[in-house]
Amino acid sequence: MGTFLSPLSWFILVFIGILLMVVAYFLFTFNSKKTGTAKYLPKGKPGAPGVCPVCCTVLRKGEQLKTKVYPSEGTDRLCSIYGCPHCYPIIEPDADRFCPVCKAPIPADSYLIARLFDRGKTDKHVRILGCRACRHA
């Protein structure tokens, strides 16, 4: 007849098998979550608050647009919008830069032209006029 394993040997083998499955589960799920969040950029509706007007990426807390506001005497000022941290100065793979007016691709060294309206101390409004190509055409 054959030799049978004792109950203690079965217990040790089952325990080692379960331990290996738990370790493998955490290795594979932790790795996929880390790479999944780094590559995916949530997209928003163009013109919505908190959305980059250049690449339509929803901005996270603390992320800001890179802009340049020019001085003016009136309540509205001319400004240049370069983009968010995802599309300026380095364009991430999921961030496609397009002009919201003419829908043409915007090069990495270009920007949008806009008007900034000051409506009080906290209320501001931005109207995008176009990119350098369609605004000066």
Side-chain angles (χ1 to χ4, degrees), residues 42-59 100 103 128:
K43 298 295 181 183
K45 198 174 195 179
V51 175
C52 176
V54 180
C55 68
C56 293
T57 300
V58 177
L59 300 176
K103 310 294 188 235
I128 297 173

Side-chain angles (χ1 to χ4, degrees), residues 21-71:
M21 285 192 294
V22 168
V23 168
Y25 172 77
F26 281 112
L27 282 176
F28 289 116
T29 57
F30 181 73
N31 191 17
S32 66
K33 284 182 185 175
K34 192 163 97 176
T35 58
T37 56
K39 291 185 179 184
Y40 173 70
L41 294 177
K43 298 295 181 183
K45 198 174 195 179
V51 175
C52 176
V54 180
C55 68
C56 293
T57 300
V58 177
L59 300 176
R60 293 183 214 134
K61 187 175 181 179
E63 293 180 335
Q64 295 182 351
L65 293 174
K66 174 69 176 166
T67 61
K68 184 183 226 180
V69 180
Y70 301 99

Side-chain angles (χ1 to χ4, degrees), residues 6 9 11 13-14 53 58-60 81 89 94 97 101 105 108 118-119 121:
S6 68
S9 299
F11 177 77
L13 286 175
V14 170
V58 177
L59 300 176
R60 293 183 214 134
I81 302 173
D94 289 346
R97 295 170 50 97
V101 176
D118 289 326
R119 295 179 175 167
K121 291 184 179 180

